[in-house]
Amino acid sequence: MQAQRKRFIGGNWKSNNTLAKSLELVDSVVNKLEFDNLDVVVSPVSLHIVPVQQAIKNNVQVALQNIGHKGFGAFTGELSFEHVKDLKINWVILGHSERRRTPEIQESEEFIATKAALAINNGLSVIFCIGETIQEMEAKETQTVLEKQLNPLIAQVKDWSKVVVAYEPVWAIGTGKTATPEYAEEIHANIRKLLPDQSIRILYGGSVTKDNAAVLIGQPNIDGFLVGGASLKEDFIHIVNACK
């Protein structure tokens, strides 16, 4: 039952904000959040993560938006799990469609799963993103696509207490289009059948707003949200409140 799964709300700030703007967002939104039985995480750009973490005055945690595939070493531009743990950061987002699908990046399913397993095996928790394009949905390939994205993770991960899955249909991210509650629930229920542990939390992401959050979180297999644009404004407070 959903009541046994602690709800989770993530705010993915993506590559937005100056440092001053990020700290203003902490002051005007993040520090105004009041919650008890929820996990709330925000994810600024990596350059801002320490000052944002230091400015937070409640139980909101921070997450990196990516992590490297190795530990310390000659990997220019990468952040290792050791760097993350050294700063006492617990969460990382992996598998986002903007890293899977952007032509200049195109991280593979196996590469993403390897990074996730490395992070989890070294004590970090992962928000693992999956989702289909509009073409895949219209071709009725959604389940096949999601299985392809999840299977490498299932093959490599043993400790599922450190995994939150975020279903983000690519066609709904930043487009203003949102999956209907019925469609989102159907997909979440199908994802749950694929997972080895029924206690794993599954989030919905894709144009979540203060207006649709309550009806979406009312679905039995939706355990929270990964929020993009709405996490950059006061709407995020309303979304968190809808999940209490």
Side-chain angles (χ1 to χ4, degrees), residues 53-74:
Q53 185 181 41
Q54 292 172 340
I56 293 173
K57 298 177 180 178
N58 51 22
N59 292 326
V60 175
Q61 299 183 70
V62 294
L64 278 174
Q65 296 177 18
N66 189 32
I67 197 172
H69 67 295
K70 298 284 187 180
F72 285 150

Side-chain angles (χ1 to χ4, degrees), residues 200-226:
I200 297 167
R201 292 174 288 183
I202 307 174
L203 316 180
Y204 174 77
S207 297
V208 177
T209 69
K210 64 179 182 179
D211 298 318
N212 60 27
V215 67
L216 286 165
I217 198 62
Q219 305 305 307
N221 283 290
I222 296 179
D223 302 313
F225 303 116
L226 184 56

